[in-house]
Amino acid sequence: MKHEGNSYTITNGILAEELTKRFTERTIRIFDDADHLSLLADKLKNVIQDKAQGNLFEQLETMKFNYDALQKDSALFAKTTASMGFPTDPVDIIISDGKKIVREVQAKSCNSAARSAFSLSQHKYNEMLRLSPCEQHSKIEELLKKRIASGTLKADEYEQTLRNLVKTLQHDNIASSGTTYEEALNATDPSVAQKIADEFKLKSSLTDMHESGKYAGSLGAKITGGISILSESYALYNGEHELGEAVVNVISSSAKGYATGYTVTALSKGIQHTTSHFLGESI
């Protein structure tokens, strides 16, 4: 029976590894986001903070969006056009579902709501999602409504900005937690950016371990529980076990299968991230 148990564990491990690849692939994508955040902060360390923070703002929002997608097991992901080699593209962030682009985003982080509102309201950003620092959102809405009501020549552009304005990078049920101007400004310090990057690497690794572990645990419970049902049914038929004993054995086998599947897969993912991405003692 020990040999059979090992076989079930190995089989479950192989299946779980294949079926949870998507969690690991999304985690590695967040690692790339985190590394790019650190590289940006270092690259722009001699640029005036108020100017540099806009780049960090975009990257922070992208990373937060992708982390929420990982937590919710969503195929959606965001990427800045600058990180793709197109820093002057009118689109700042694209949101994709697989290979299909589902939303284009223009992000502006200025040191006042008035400046952010004006910067977002350009004709070249036609029908893009408009993203601003989260603490400025209400004030920008108020300013846009006043300017539209005043009958200004830019009323149409302000109306479109208002219609597409969001306080967090979002699509469907996936959203970042929002980023303030101050947070983006602080991230221009390479040491702060590195700390944020490390935190997201750790959080995403633990999420991968937990979500993959749950999936593998459920699979393990089904496999061992199914085998136990067959075994206990045979024992009941031959009068070897009472019904109550059979039920307890099935429940016990399923619980062991879940625990084994969760533990083996979670540890496997943890080892993978530790060895591949120098998380060391943190993981």
Side-chain angles (χ1 to χ4, degrees), residues 25-26 29-30 33 62-63 65-67 69-70 74-80 84 93-103 169 171 174:
E25 288 169 354
R26 292 166 190 164
R29 186 181 290 146
I30 294 172
D33 291 337
T62 296
M63 188 163 59
F65 179 93
N66 289 338
Y67 179 63
L70 171 65
S74 170
L76 292 173
F77 69 94
K79 196 167 183 66
T80 63
M84 299 166 66
I93 301 170
I94 58 170
I95 299 175
S96 301
D97 185 348
K99 294 183 179 180
K100 181 184 177 183
I101 296 176
V102 296
R103 204 69 167 97
L169 184 61
H171 186 76
I174 306 302

Side-chain angles (χ1 to χ4, degrees), residues 23-35:
F23 293 112
T24 303
E25 288 169 354
R26 292 166 190 164
T27 299
I28 292 171
R29 186 181 290 146
I30 294 172
F31 280 23
D32 290 340
D33 291 337
D35 287 338

Side-chain angles (χ1 to χ4, degrees), residues 5 28 46 49 59 63 66 68 76 90 133 139 158 165 170-171 174 181 189 194 199 224 231 247 255-256 274:
I28 292 171
N46 294 322
Q49 276 188 302
Q59 192 61 31
M63 188 163 59
N66 289 338
D68 192 51
L76 292 173
K139 183 63 177 178
Y158 287 138
L165 185 67
Q170 61 186 63
H171 186 76
I174 306 302
Y181 171 83
D189 181 337
Q194 187 61 57
E199 287 175 353
T224 56
S231 175
V247 170
K256 288 177 181 177
T274 302

Side-chain angles (χ1 to χ4, degrees), residues 160-264:
Q160 190 180 121
T161 299
L162 180 61
R163 179 158 35 88
N164 291 287
L165 185 67
V166 291
K167 66 190 300 185
T168 67
L169 184 61
Q170 61 186 63
H171 186 76
D172 290 341
N173 68 325
I174 306 302
S176 73
S177 55
T179 301
T180 66
Y181 171 83
E182 193 69 23
E183 185 181 355
L185 194 70
N186 290 338
T188 60
D189 181 337
S191 63
V192 173
Q194 187 61 57
K195 182 180 179 182
I196 295 171
D198 289 343
E199 287 175 353
F200 269 89
K201 284 183 179 183
L202 180 58
K203 287 197 302 183
S204 58
S205 294
L206 294 174
T207 299
D208 181 18
M209 291 168 66
H210 181 53
E211 295 302 324
S212 296
K214 286 196 301 182
Y215 200 98
S218 296
L219 185 62
K222 290 174 183 176
I223 291 174
T224 56
I227 292 170
S228 181
I229 287 173
L230 292 175
S231 175
E232 292 301 324
S233 296
Y234 183 76
L236 278 171
Y237 179 78
N238 290 328
E240 298 171 6
H241 288 169
E242 296 294 328
L243 179 60
E245 182 183 4
V247 170
V248 169
N249 288 341
V250 170
I251 293 172
S252 177
S253 294
S254 297
K256 288 177 181 177
Y258 184 94
T260 302
Y262 182 100
T263 304
V264 170

Side-chain angles (χ1 to χ4, degrees), residues 108-121 132-133 136 140:
K108 292 295 183 187
S109 175
C110 301
N111 58 16
S112 72
R115 289 186 62 189
S116 293
F118 181 80
S119 297
L120 285 169
S121 303
S132 68
Q136 295 180 9
I140 291 173

